[in-house]
Amino acid sequence: MITITGKPCSGKSTVAKLLASKYGFEHISIGEIFKEEARRLGITIEEFNKLCLEDPSFDRIIDKEIERIGKERKGERLIFDSRMAWHFVPNSFKVYVDLSDKEMSKRLLNSDRKDKYNYKDEKSALASLLNREKMELARYKKLYNVVMDDPNNFDLIISSENVTPEELAEIIYREYEKYNKK
């Protein structure tokens, strides 16, 4: 099993999908579930993060499901694309995809995401992304007493800044293979 998390817009979902299709993993995207819930409620991801900080029930339901899947399907070729799966699936290969702030905002504005139209420039996009990240860090610290971006939590920390998603997927898979041989 692989759990993958990291900075917003770092390509986590793209890489998880590539790993799934190229190497035969089943892709489980918690971010998509989270985004769908925000859309269902008619609010932004940032607003939904704030709501979750006040009412942790949604997080707890999702996190228990991640934990359940991790236990019941131990040994299967799964890749979790999730902020906290590394914590709830402890026997996984834990990957953190890093990205500079400048590139994060640039990628958001150049993406096909609907919410990119909420920002007039890179500065406003970055402010929103950093606020979202700050709220998530606070939320998981409050809920589970973990520091989500602590490097000690991960088996691999890799930047997506100067590599293609395909190259990133290959590097992650190569390191995953090494991890499994230990």
Side-chain angles (χ1 to χ4, degrees):
M1 277 186 216
I2 298 174
T3 53
I4 188 165
T5 191
K7 293 273 193 167
C9 300
S10 62
K12 302 173 300 291
S13 297
T14 300
V15 170
K17 289 173 191 171
L18 283 169
L19 285 163
S21 67
K22 187 170 182 178
Y23 299 106
F25 286 86
E26 180 183 335
H27 177 225
I28 300 171
S29 174
I30 305 308
E32 284 306 312
I33 295 168
F34 195 82
K35 288 173 191 172
E36 182 55 40
E37 187 64 14
R39 280 191 291 271
R40 189 185 70 73
L41 294 171
I43 59 178
T44 67
I45 297 294
E46 197 171 341
E47 291 167 330
F48 192 51
N49 271 319
K50 193 173 183 179
L51 178 66
C52 288
L53 190 55
E54 295 163 6
D55 178 7
S57 61
F58 188 76
D59 278 315
R60 292 192 193 282
I61 290 167
I62 286 181
D63 296 336
K64 284 183 186 207
E65 182 65 6
I66 293 169
E67 189 173 36
R68 182 192 65 75
I69 292 168
K71 285 179 183 173
E72 287 180 7
R73 299 185 62 190
K74 186 177 179 180
E76 292 185 36
R77 291 178 73 83
L78 303 176
I79 182 161
F80 289 88
D81 172 5
S82 160
R83 292 276 185 249
M84 290 295 295
W86 60 268
H87 180 70
F88 294 104
V89 186
N91 295 320
S92 63
F93 178 64
K94 300 166 197 68
V95 178
Y96 186 91
V97 183
D98 204 3
L99 190 62
S100 71
D101 292 349
K102 182 177 174 77
E103 185 65 19
M104 209 170 34
S105 61
K106 193 184 303 183
R107 285 187 186 182
L108 174 60
L109 291 175
N110 291 323
S111 74
D112 60 356
R113 297 177 186 198
K114 292 175 187 163
D115 65 343
K116 77 177 185 178
Y117 300 110
N118 296 339
Y119 314 108
K120 59 184 179 215
D121 55 24
E122 281 186 31
K123 186 176 179 181
S124 64
L126 180 60
S128 177
L129 288 167
L130 292 176
N131 187 49
R132 177 176 135 198
E133 188 177 37
K134 181 181 170 185
M135 284 191 293
E136 287 174 350
L137 289 169
R139 195 165 93 226
Y140 299 125
K141 177 72 174 160
K142 180 180 175 183
L143 271 173
Y144 303 115
N145 197 30
V146 296
V147 179
M148 192 176 88
D149 62 349
D150 180 344
N152 294 314
N153 295 327
F154 304 100
D155 301 303
L156 176 65
I157 298 172
I158 187 165
S159 174
S160 64
E161 191 127 352
N162 296 309
V163 294
T164 67
E166 292 78 12
E167 291 168 330
L168 190 62
E170 285 180 33
I171 294 166
I172 291 170
Y173 188 74
R174 201 169 42 241
E175 294 300 316
Y176 167 75
E177 289 287 292
K178 288 179 191 175
Y179 171 85
N180 280 335
K181 288 180 183 175
K182 290 182 186 177

